[in-house]
Each structure stands twice: as structure tokens, then as C-alpha cells.
Amino acid sequence: QQQVKQSPQSLIVQKGGISIINCAYENTAFDYFPWYQQFPGKGPALLIAIRPDVSEKKEGRFTISFNKSAKQFSLHIMDSQPGDSATYFCAASGSNQGGKLIFGQGTELSVKP
Amino acid sequence: DAGVTQSPTHLIKTRGQQVTLRCSPKSGHDTVSWYQQALGQGPQFIFQYYEEEERQRGNFPDRFSGHQFPNYSSELNVNALLLGDSALYLCASSTWDRDGYTFGSGTRLTVV
């Protein structure tokens, strides 16, 4: 019930294309869903986050879509660039868990020029 | 404005030894959490400190312990190291009443 399942494990996209990464969760107490970007040798960096009271949030080229009934959320990267090549993690936490983040397994994104 | 600072960046230890990792949180943050990230995996929550007390703990054995100091900096101690403890150890800071962690670049621990 504490798991967050992420897919795909790896993704190859052409420059200018749309990258889509999906996550699913079981714990209905989760109420905060961030996405992190991690480059080799670096720690995860917060990209964008959403709460269940909205179904979509957009920041620049990054969009989170959230489906509360299906307990799924996804990250869309529009106009993908080679500089977006990194590992992406979804995560979830609940207000009753004091901010502890449960991470997905990660998606390694490669954007080809 | 300095972010989260971790030291050392790399460390090699022998099985059975003890190790201490250090973290200075981002300015203005009072809460520190530690995560273990095995190669090719997502970070796993170890524990969280606020007001110098352990507030939450993940599914890690007692060999993992920590401390938070009055200036909000923190240490992670691991005793009786096992080969399986080899990982990237990440420190993340935040304010207690708000979401959104800032992660450090981590300490790469190798146990041989």
C-alpha cells in the first residue's frame, strides 16, 4: 500500500517530441505528488508538484496530469530537449506521514537530437 | 544562497566499520531527512529530524542512527557496515510545515 509504481523504466524520445511518464499509487491518504529530476552524480531536484484538488498543473514545458479516481498521475514534457535527458522520479506523501516521500523506481529519459 | 551541503562526497569503508555522514540544510530550513538510493533505484526514506528529535523512521535497522544539532545540521551514522549498505546517501531539507524538499548531491558510500 506504500508503493508508488512508475513506468516506463526507460524512454527514448526525439528532440521536439513529447515525453510521458506514468505513476500509480495505492494509498488514498497520499495528498502531495511531486516529480523530481536527477542528473548523474547529483541529488534529485524538484520539477513540479500537484495536490489532488486539481487535475492538471503546468509549469513551462512540464505538465502533471492527475486522476484521483484511478489513483494515477503522469508527467508530460513538451518539446523535449537533449538537456532533459535525466532520470525522473515520481513520489508521493501524505499529511499524516509528516512529509515522508515514497519514490517510484525512476524513468531514464534519453532525448535524441 | 547555499543549498543543502553534504560531506564527504565519496567514501570507501570496510565491512564491519562505522561511518558518519554530514549534512547542512538550506538556509531557512529546519527539518532534515535522510534517504538511501541504491544504484538504479528510487530513494528510500531512512528517517527525519526536526527540533533535534527523530520524528519518523523508515524500514531501516537500528544500525542506522542520526542526530540533529541546534543549528539544524544533521549526521547519519551507520554501524557494522554491510556490503549492501553501499549506496548514495541523500540529505534533504525542508521547513516542517511546508512540502518541498531540497536535496543535496549526496555521499557515495562504497563498502568493500
Side-chain angles (χ1 to χ4, degrees), chain A residues 38 43 51 97-101, chain B residues 35 37 45 48 56 99 101:
Chain A
Q38 187 175 28
R51 290 194 176 274
Q97 299 186 12
K100 174 177 102 175
L101 286 172
Chain B
Y35 288 78
Q37 185 176 23
F45 176 79
Q48 181 184 70
Q56 280 206 85
D99 293 311
Y101 287 132

Side-chain angles (χ1 to χ4, degrees), chain B residues 31-44:
Chain B
T31 303
V32 172
S33 300
W34 288 91
Y35 288 78
Q36 179 194 65
Q37 185 176 23
L39 202 60
Q41 300 294 317
Q44 298 287 317

Side-chain angles (χ1 to χ4, degrees), chain B residues 48-104:
Chain B
Q48 181 184 70
Y49 278 86
Y50 172 67
E51 292 186 333
E52 302 179 49
E53 290 187 11
E54 183 181 293
R55 298 291 177 162
Q56 280 206 85
R57 189 177 184 90
N59 189 25
F60 280 80
D62 292 344
R63 297 187 298 108
F64 290 77
S65 63
H67 189 77
Q68 186 180 34
F69 300 94
N71 67 352
Y72 309 121
S73 67
S74 177
E75 289 182 349
L76 164 65
N77 301 290
V78 186
N79 294 321
L81 284 166
L82 304 174
L83 297 179
D85 295 332
S86 295
L88 180 68
Y89 288 85
L90 295 163
C91 172
S93 71
S94 63
T95 56
W96 176 251
D97 59 349
R98 295 187 65 182
D99 293 311
Y101 287 132
T102 299
F103 280 85

